[in-house]
Amino acid sequence: MTHPAYGTLRQVTPNAAVLLAPNPNVMTLDGTNTWLLRAPGTAECVVVDPGPLDEDHLAKVAAHGPVSQVIITHHHGDHTDGAARFAELTGAPTHAVTPAHRHNGGGDLVDGQLIEAAGLRLRIWATPGHTADSVCVLVEDDGAMLTGDTVLGRGTTIVAHPDGQLGPYLDTLRRLITLPAGTRALPAHGPELPDLAHVASYYLTHREQRLDQVRQALATLGQDASARAVVELVYADVDKSLWPAAEWSVLAQLAYLRG
């Protein structure tokens, strides 16, 4: 069974399986990947990103429990709209950087924090950029990293200005590049990837190239050019349905360049 597979639990690594939510669109790609983490032979699991408020999806995830912990990678609704309902279904504590998405006594997530549950060691990485509250989750037992929206399984992510900021995102990419070769990326959207450091290096190069293009656009349009004007010039070869997302990233690039 390969990606995408809706409604059916798909084992990706010995410790990580995914259940794809049926919420595909231009922003979520095939939909939101809800990850279930457990060591082989362990009954309980840790759920990362319950996903949208879709009763069928949430019930299917809960049926693969018992769920001991829930982790939220960031606050966007395609990851969190179902979190409160999922907390009701499972009773599991939900941990998140953003307090509004903590449930059942769940706590904060901080860089370097270790969560030991479901027979696994899960290390939290603060990875701001896409949003200010973005985190990744390293499964230390097999070296796979759940990347949320920081790195996607297809294409590149947006920097969701003004909450997301380009400077922290570039720092996050530089940090991910230091991971050992062969660290698998388990993203919240799109298929898994075999080498996260390699993808982060590509992302960084892509961002630097886009920054150069924005600088050139400002030289042509004027330093006070609007984000939309820059999008129309720099992203002229990109499908116009993606321009609203591109405008978010350009706003972040302009804020970065304008200091």
Side-chain angles (χ1 to χ4, degrees):
M1 181 171 35
T2 59
H3 178 92
Y6 294 103
T8 302
L9 192 69
R10 180 172 65 90
Q11 198 72 36
V12 177
T13 77
N15 300 311
V18 64
L19 209 158
L20 177 60
N23 61 330
N25 62 47
V26 68
M27 297 295 289
T28 65
L29 304 181
D30 307 298
T32 301
N33 291 325
T34 295
W35 289 95
L36 288 80
L37 309 177
R38 55 160 58 93
T42 303
E44 67 181 22
C45 68
V46 174
V47 169
V48 179
D49 290 338
L53 183 53
D54 180 295
E55 287 288 344
D56 183 60
H57 173 70
L58 298 175
K60 285 177 178 176
V61 176
H64 291 287
V67 179
S68 68
Q69 315 271 339
V70 178
I71 296 172
I72 301 294
T73 63
H74 67 290
H75 69 270
H76 283 162
D78 54 303
H79 299 251
T80 60
D81 282 351
R85 175 60 177 150
F86 191 70
E88 292 178 354
L89 291 172
T90 64
T94 302
H95 310 297
V97 174
T98 302
H101 299 301
R102 300 173 193 161
H103 306 287
N104 294 338
D108 195 5
L109 296 171
V110 298
D111 190 52
Q113 178 180 350
L114 179 65
I115 297 175
E116 294 186 87
L120 300 174
R121 292 170 55 87
L122 308 175
R123 186 75 62 178
I124 302 300
W125 283 41
T127 52
H130 171 69
T131 62
D133 66 343
S134 288
V135 300
C136 293
V137 183
L138 179 65
V139 184
E140 291 190 342
D141 308 80
D142 62 14
M145 179 80 90
L146 284 78
T147 60
D149 286 6
T150 297
V151 169
L152 304 180
R154 185 171 69 249
T156 57
T157 197
I158 63 167
V159 177
H161 180 83
D163 177 48
Q165 296 185 23
L166 184 58
Y169 189 60
L170 297 176
D171 290 340
T172 284
L173 293 176
R174 294 185 184 107
R175 187 181 181 195
L176 294 177
I177 288 170
T178 68
L179 285 164
T183 298
R184 296 185 75 175
L186 309 181
H189 305 287
E192 58 275 9
L193 299 169
D195 192 329
L196 178 52
H198 177 77
V199 177
S201 180
Y202 164 75
Y203 267 40
L204 183 61
T205 298
H206 172 76
R207 290 290 171 186
E208 290 171 341
Q209 290 171 343
R210 283 297 192 203
L211 271 175
D212 285 340
Q213 291 173 331
V214 171
R215 290 188 185 99
Q216 293 166 16
L218 293 177
T220 299
L221 299 169
Q223 293 302 310
D224 295 328
S226 68
R228 179 67 180 197
V230 172
V231 167
E232 291 175 0
L233 184 60
V234 172
Y235 291 81
D237 60 339
V238 174
D239 190 304
K240 289 185 179 181
S241 68
L242 299 175
W243 279 12
E247 191 166 347
W248 270 1
S249 286
V250 168
L251 283 167
Q253 291 164 334
L254 291 175
Y256 178 80
L257 292 173
R258 291 167 176 167

